[in-house]
Amino acid sequence: MGFKTGTLASALLLLAARVSAQTANAEAALATLQEWYNPTTGLWNTAGWWNGANAMTVIAELAAVDASIVQEATSIFETTFNVAPSANPSNGVEKSVGTNGLIQTSYPAGWPNETISKRATKDPTDPTVWLDGANDDAEWWGLAWIAAYDVTGNETYLTLAEGIFNEIAAGWGTNCGNGGIYWETTNHYVNAIASELFISLAAHLANRVPANAATYIAWAEEAWNWFASTGMINANGTINDGLTTDCVNNGQAVWSYNQGVILGGLTELNRISPNESYIESANSIAQAAIAALADSNHVIHDYACEPSCEPDATQFKGIFMRNLLLLQRASPNDLYSQVIEACAASIWANDRDSTTGELGVDWAGPFDTPADASTQSSAMGALVAAISVELISGTSHPDLSAKVADRLGIGLTNTLCQPSSIGEISVSIGESVRGDDVYILQSTAPGNVNDGLMELLNLIHACRTASARSITALIPNYPYARQDKKDKSRAPISARLVANMLQSAGATHVITMDLHASQIQGFFNVPVDNLFAEPCVLDWVKGNLDPDNCVIVSPDAGGAKRVASLADRLGVGFALIHKERPRPNVVGRMILVGDVSNRTAILIDDMADTCGTLAKAASTLEEHGARDVYAIVTHGVLSGPAIETINNSCLSGLVVTNSTSYPSPQNKFRAS
């Protein structure tokens, strides 16, 4: 048995984000943005309904790379989820395009405060309460809830996004080729944004809902094929706002958000259904958009309206940056990096009120009032995009690295790790990491601990000499963790030696999981985060067993604190096994302290090596009347005869995380 791999994969990097200059700027922008947040409406004062979805999305994007704001972001999501539906302007929204092509959204008088005061609380899980008659508004909310799901793993948000998509999909088919999505249910303008968002929402869902992936892929492909044939992509390779009533390009403004949304949609579609043409089209549109919208310093503008872009176009450029980043991760291009970095730098230097922290609409500056939640969240999107994160995988556990990258929607940095003819480890980094925050994931693999450690040290040192800003070593299963003290004369403290080597190589931060002894953290002079598998254990027990009939058992005195904490959170009893070891990996006598009779006993430990301890502990528990015995361990090393020992034991099952690679599942040991 095994935990869902996404839980650990996401936790490792979500909690790895170290505050850099870009992160600090984004956090400051968030603090100012939240001055406009209204917990009564779940929205941001000074901005509209659809802008609220975009503000929430950019907060989710920051939370994905900055663990310090995850709790705040989660609280915002929960509040908005619960109260915003009652502030929905519903059919009171009116959308129009001005004579100069400026997009206009009008709301009912007194919205949103008077709206929410007159309504009963609505069920937020009902997708229809997020619809307001404007299809693009609902699609923005669908993407926002996907972003919230990516951070929290809350399936309710993902299900809501699916429901919103299904509501919009029911309206598929316009008078232009019987395809596409109308801008509004009552305004049959065939514009670009509604159909682009439909493509993006379908592709995002395809990557997150495996059971319905084929359906979402089919929708995204059909919508893209229709969109590409409409003529909205003009001769310059950019996208105009929409089509005339005769279904030809209306020549309206080339808005940045119309160029951006399709980049994200095609990137997500290529991720789930690889097709070179998707990335080629995205790159073509991106480069044409930059040529049209960037100034000589690579700063993006919406020239059609700046500096007077109220009320809608103030949001547009941040949307472009968000989606340009998705394309950059999938198809790296120095031009995209230049634009992202230039926009973030210019916003902070030239378009910021240093007194209030407010960010304006003209990113090249100077700052000009009025700033609002829309300009703030839009500019914040550029600041978040500039947080440079590189994820490098060692060879010990490529499956976990791939899951981390996929969970976060980023690509793995190109690296080459191979042994020489005499067994030396050679590594090379295939991309520039200068000035980036680098995360190197390398766990310990059974039978290959020393090679894996040397490979990790070489990767760290290579990034250090390549001028990485920070280097975080992600080591789920810390090597030599059990050699954490001098337990006999002339014995080394190998765990300290490993700490010294990691720091000498250049690691500036270490993240590991369920250390065998917490004192190992004290061996370092750099920050060390020791993550715990306890939340995963709780989820598995609640989802697979009846907690009311369970007892949590520590197989030794050293794990008593861990077991007591878990038992308290489950509201069950716990027991302890005292064991005597005549020599390493050999257990002598076992004594049970506690009552396990007629209950499901759950053994909790940090590591399963040869599994002799677990097997003998299971027999002890069975002898004392346990109905079933399960073992849950963080690190399934499973060396030597471990699998045979498990299968010949009285264990009902062994549950492990994916912190280390493990043998092919057999009998009582299974991976999910």
Side-chain angles (χ1 to χ4, degrees):
M1 300 178 186
F3 295 126
K4 289 186 177 179
T5 51
T7 303
L8 176 59
S10 60
L12 281 172
L13 201 57
L14 287 176
L15 294 176
R18 185 176 181 218
V19 174
S20 62
Q22 293 100 322
T23 307
N25 292 349
E27 289 174 351
L30 171 62
T32 302
L33 175 64
Q34 287 309 100
E35 292 178 9
W36 282 294
Y37 187 65
N38 186 340
T40 301
T41 64
L43 302 172
W44 285 260
N45 295 336
T46 72
W49 172 249
W50 75 275
N51 307 88
N54 277 278
M56 200 177 83
T57 300
V58 77
I59 292 171
E61 290 167 349
L62 177 57
V65 293
D66 183 0
S68 70
I69 70 109
V70 169
Q71 185 174 0
E72 179 183 5
T74 301
S75 177
I76 294 167
F77 303 155
E78 291 173 352
T79 300
T80 296
F81 179 76
N82 287 314
V83 303
S86 295
N88 185 341
S90 300
N91 294 325
V93 166
E94 293 183 5
K95 290 184 177 278
S96 62
V97 180
T99 54
N100 62 348
L102 191 64
I103 308 299
Q104 301 279 347
T105 301
S106 301
Y107 295 92
W111 181 86
N113 293 319
E114 289 188 15
T115 302
I116 200 168
S117 68
K118 297 175 181 178
R119 286 187 180 158
T121 302
K122 294 189 175 183
D123 177 9
T125 64
D126 178 359
T128 64
V129 305
W130 298 92
L131 275 57
D132 66 349
N135 290 318
D136 58 337
D137 288 7
E139 291 164 327
W140 290 121
W141 279 109
L143 289 170
W145 290 119
I146 289 174
Y149 163 77
D150 286 345
V151 171
T152 65
N154 189 331
E155 295 283 349
T156 300
Y157 297 156
L158 186 62
T159 301
L160 174 58
E162 286 193 90
I164 291 173
F165 176 84
N166 291 334
E167 292 291 333
I168 301 301
W172 172 263
T174 68
N175 63 299
C176 295
N178 199 33
I181 298 293
Y182 284 119
W183 192 16
E184 296 180 277
T185 56
T186 57
N187 177 359
H188 288 180
Y189 172 37
V190 183
N191 67 352
I193 196 62
S195 294
E196 289 183 60
L197 286 167
F198 185 81
I199 295 168
S200 187
L201 186 52
H204 276 78
L205 288 170
N207 280 293
R208 291 158 177 83
V209 189
N212 296 328
T215 298
Y216 293 128
I217 291 170
W219 270 120
E221 290 177 341
E222 180 179 356
W224 165 242
N225 291 333
W226 171 85
F227 185 88
S229 70
T230 62
M232 279 190 270
I233 303 175
N234 60 39
N236 296 322
T238 54
I239 300 171
N240 293 104
D241 192 64
L243 303 177
T244 66
T245 55
D246 295 328
C247 299
V248 297
N249 189 316
N250 62 15
Q252 291 282 4
V254 175
W255 297 113
S256 57
Y257 81 149
N258 278 330
Q259 320 312 306
V261 170
I262 197 64
L263 305 184
L266 290 172
T267 300
E268 284 284 309
L269 180 56
N270 182 71
R271 178 181 163 198
I272 188 67
S273 180
N275 185 322
E276 289 184 5
S277 69
Y278 298 149
I279 295 298
E280 289 173 358
S281 295
N283 280 318
S284 176
I285 294 168
Q287 291 163 28
I290 291 169
L293 302 177
D295 62 22
S296 59
N297 294 317
H298 292 106
V299 177
I300 297 296
H301 297 268
D302 272 309
Y303 288 115
C305 67
E306 290 182 8
S308 300
C309 296
E310 303 86 357
D312 284 17
T314 50
Q315 195 77 53
F316 290 174
K317 297 195 297 292
I319 295 166
F320 176 78
M321 300 302 293
R322 174 193 313 155
N323 289 281
L324 182 64
L325 177 63
L326 288 179
L327 177 60
Q328 167 68 2
R329 287 170 172 169
S331 181
N333 187 307
D334 287 344
L335 174 62
Y336 306 157
S337 294
Q338 290 172 352
V339 168
I340 291 170
E341 293 169 8
C343 287
S346 183
I347 288 168
W348 202 250
N350 306 313
D351 190 33
R352 176 173 62 101
D353 184 325
S354 59
T355 302
T356 64
E358 294 177 357
L359 307 175
V361 67
D362 185 349
W363 292 355
F367 174 81
D368 187 25
T369 56
D372 58 23
S374 174
T375 64
Q376 188 78 15
S377 58
S378 179
M380 181 178 159
L383 300 179
V384 173
I387 299 174
S388 303
V389 174
E390 298 285 347
L391 177 60
I392 292 175
S393 173
T395 60
S396 67
H397 201 348
D399 181 63
L400 177 59
S401 298
K403 285 180 170 64
V404 171
D406 184 67
R407 180 70 174 79
L408 294 171
I410 65 175
L412 290 169
T413 301
N414 292 325
T415 56
L416 179 64
C417 304
Q418 57 185 8
S420 69
S421 58
I422 59 173
E424 296 178 345
I425 304 296
S426 173
V427 307
S428 62
I429 311 298
E431 302 174 21
S432 173
V433 295
R434 181 181 297 274
D436 290 347
D437 296 316
V438 176
Y439 301 90
I440 304 173
L441 199 160
Q442 179 84 321
S443 197
T444 51
N448 194 30
V449 174
N450 295 323
D451 284 350
L453 176 58
M454 195 65 208
E455 182 180 283
L456 173 61
L457 295 170
N458 276 327
L459 286 168
I460 292 171
H461 192 64
C463 292
R464 179 184 181 181
T465 58
S467 302
R469 175 172 44 221
S470 67
I471 304 169
T472 299
L474 302 174
I475 317 172
N477 186 16
Y478 188 89
Y480 291 91
R482 287 180 289 181
Q483 297 183 33
D484 60 296
K485 58 184 179 291
K486 189 172 182 178
D487 56 358
K488 56 182 178 288
S489 299
R490 297 175 297 281
I493 305 176
S494 302
R496 175 183 280 279
L497 176 61
V498 171
N500 292 341
M501 291 191 293
L502 290 169
Q503 292 171 103
S504 296
T508 58
H509 187 194
V510 173
I511 295 179
T512 186
M513 192 164 193
D514 274 339
L515 281 169
H516 183 68
S518 59
Q519 70 197 42
I520 293 174
Q521 292 174 277
F523 296 164
F524 288 87
N525 294 318
V526 299
V528 178
D529 288 321
N530 181 29
L531 307 182
F532 299 103
E534 183 174 298
C536 305
V537 175
L538 288 168
D539 287 345
W540 190 89
V541 172
K542 291 176 181 178
N544 294 272
L545 301 174
D546 178 8
D548 292 338
N549 293 312
C550 291
V551 58
I552 310 299
V553 182
S554 175
D556 55 36
K561 185 176 180 180
R562 179 192 305 122
V563 165
S565 172
L566 185 62
D568 286 345
R569 295 186 65 179
L570 285 170
V572 302
F574 70 93
L576 170 68
I577 294 176
H578 172 69
K579 62 188 178 186
E580 299 174 350
R581 287 185 184 272
R583 59 183 184 276
N585 288 331
V586 175
V587 177
R589 195 165 58 114
M590 284 191 166
I591 302 171
L592 176 66
V593 180
D595 181 18
V596 298
S597 59
N598 201 33
R599 299 182 188 178
T600 297
I602 306 173
L603 284 159
I604 303 294
D605 210 350
D606 64 309
M607 181 181 295
D609 188 357
T610 60
C611 293
T613 299
L614 289 178
K616 192 159 187 174
S619 295
T620 299
L621 294 169
E622 187 179 57
E623 290 169 4
H624 284 78
R627 184 171 52 201
D628 295 296
V629 182
Y630 287 87
I632 303 178
V633 299
T634 303
H635 309 300
V637 177
L638 306 179
S639 63
I643 298 297
E644 182 181 357
T645 300
I646 294 168
N647 289 331
N648 292 333
S649 73
C650 61
L651 281 169
S652 299
L654 170 66
V655 183
V656 302
T657 74
N658 59 342
S659 67
T660 185
S661 57
Y662 37 64
S664 299
Q666 301 176 41
N667 297 347
K668 295 181 182 179
F669 170 71
R670 302 191 300 277
S672 63

